């Protein structure tokens, strides 16, 4: 981790999954992690690690590109994995139950830019980008996360 810009290098898919698991271990219901990055940046790989840590099972955790939302139950409550790539309007997020999810579940949101004005003020942004053979992950804290999340 680089303390100056809260970024780290992830050498491969296993490192990306492990990073997702470390984040999930630190968070709980009502927390939101927004995953930013282009196609193939590692968003679903990160989410798979977080989901497996949350559920404490070796979940397949497919990308919810077509279903938009996949829910998982774990010992600490429910996790919602959302892939909003196909949303055409931020208002469509209401139909998915975004308000309920943000209030009561741990949320992983891929393509969070599709939320527009519904993007939660209290969130942890993970920006993933290819970097040589691996990827770079940059952590950005917003709202309540400015004070409570450190040391990943």
């Amino acid at each position: 981790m680089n303390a100056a810009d809260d970024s780290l290098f992830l050498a491969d898919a296993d490192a990306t999954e492990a990073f997702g698991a470390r984040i999930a271990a630190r968070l709980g219901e009502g927390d939101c992690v927004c995953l930013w990055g282009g196609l193939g940046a590692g968003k679903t790989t990160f989410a798979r690690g977080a989901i497996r840590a949350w559920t404490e099972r070796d979940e397949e955790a497919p990308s919810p590109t077509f279903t938009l939302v996949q829910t998982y139950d774990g010992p600490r409550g429910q996790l919602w994995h959302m892939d909003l790539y196909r949303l055409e309007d931020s208002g469509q997020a209401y139909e998915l139950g975004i308000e309920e999810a943000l209030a009561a579940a741990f949320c992983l949101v891929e393509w969070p830019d599709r939320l527009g004005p519904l993007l939660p003020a209290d969130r942890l942004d993970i920006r993933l980008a290819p970097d040589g053979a691996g990827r770079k992950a940059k952590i950005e804290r917003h709202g309540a996360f400015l004070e409570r999340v450190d040391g990943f």
Side-chain angles (χ1 to χ4, degrees):
M1 176 77 73
N2 180 335
D5 65 3
D6 286 339
S7 64
L8 69 153
F9 178 75
L10 303 168
D12 54 24
D14 289 342
T16 305
E17 279 194 35
F19 180 52
R22 285 194 313 270
I23 297 288
R26 301 279 309 267
L27 302 178
E29 290 181 310
D31 288 333
C32 181
V33 174
C34 292
L35 301 171
W36 302 81
L39 292 171
K43 297 180 298 295
T44 300
T45 303
F46 174 97
R48 189 172 297 116
I51 291 163
R52 288 175 177 166
W54 185 264
T55 63
E56 299 179 359
R57 293 186 301 273
D58 189 20
E59 296 280 353
E60 182 180 330
S63 173
T65 302
F66 295 102
T67 59
L68 302 179
V69 176
Q70 292 281 89
T71 60
Y72 300 89
D73 292 315
R76 296 184 289 144
Q78 196 168 59
L79 180 149
W80 284 43
H81 179 200
M82 296 173 251
D83 183 329
L84 306 180
Y85 183 76
R86 296 183 325 125
L87 287 190
E88 296 176 11
D89 177 89
S90 62
Q92 292 174 312
Y94 287 117
E95 297 170 25
L96 300 176
I98 190 84
E99 291 175 308
E100 170 192 338
L102 291 171
F106 171 40
C107 295
L108 295 170
V109 182
E110 295 187 42
W111 303 99
D113 58 305
R114 304 301 203 266
L115 288 174
L118 301 178
L119 190 64
D122 298 327
R123 68 182 190 278
L124 188 65
D125 286 346
I126 307 292
R127 296 186 183 274
L128 297 163
D131 186 359
R135 52 183 59 95
K136 181 179 179 180
K138 183 174 182 185
I139 301 168
E140 297 174 358
R141 299 166 181 89
H142 300 273
F145 281 93
L146 287 170
E147 308 241 344
R148 67 177 266 235
V149 178
D150 253 339
F152 292 113

